[in-house]
Amino acid sequence: MDRYFFDVYNSEGQVLDEEGQLFASKESAKDEALRVLQDVARDEMPDRDLFKLTVKVRSENGAKVFEASLILTSGWTAKQP
């Protein structure tokens, strides 16, 4: 099993994973990164028109091995009365 670290980046800064988690495969680590991305996005839904959230996965030796991002943009498309 290999240890992977899941660092979260958003417009307010970063949260580095100091503990990591053990996974039997890199695919399992990828699935966890996507789950983390969804959970954090749900918890941190922004009150602004542009929001970017990224999860970067590091291996035990510190190499970046996977990255996933969500970008939310919103805005009115026409003038409202």
Side-chain angles (χ1 to χ4, degrees):
M1 300 214 9
D2 294 316
R3 184 170 297 276
Y4 294 91
F5 299 84
F6 301 84
D7 301 329
V8 177
Y9 298 81
N10 65 26
S11 55
E12 297 176 6
Q14 62 187 16
V15 177
L16 300 179
D17 181 359
E18 300 293 336
E19 296 179 26
Q21 297 178 50
L22 294 173
F23 291 94
S25 71
K26 65 181 183 178
E27 287 301 313
S28 295
K30 175 190 136 194
D31 291 344
E32 177 65 7
L34 296 175
R35 187 196 64 74
V36 167
L37 190 64
Q38 292 170 6
D39 288 350
V40 173
R42 184 176 24 258
D43 292 343
E44 295 185 10
M45 281 307 290
D47 58 355
R48 54 191 169 271
D49 293 337
L50 175 62
F51 180 73
K52 181 176 180 182
L53 179 64
T54 302
V55 174
K56 295 181 181 180
V57 181
R58 292 179 284 123
S59 63
E60 270 187 288
N61 66 5
K64 291 181 181 149
V65 295
F66 182 80
E67 181 177 321
S69 295
L70 285 174
I71 299 172
L72 171 71
T73 60
S74 64
W76 295 105
T77 56
K79 288 187 176 187
Q80 301 295 316

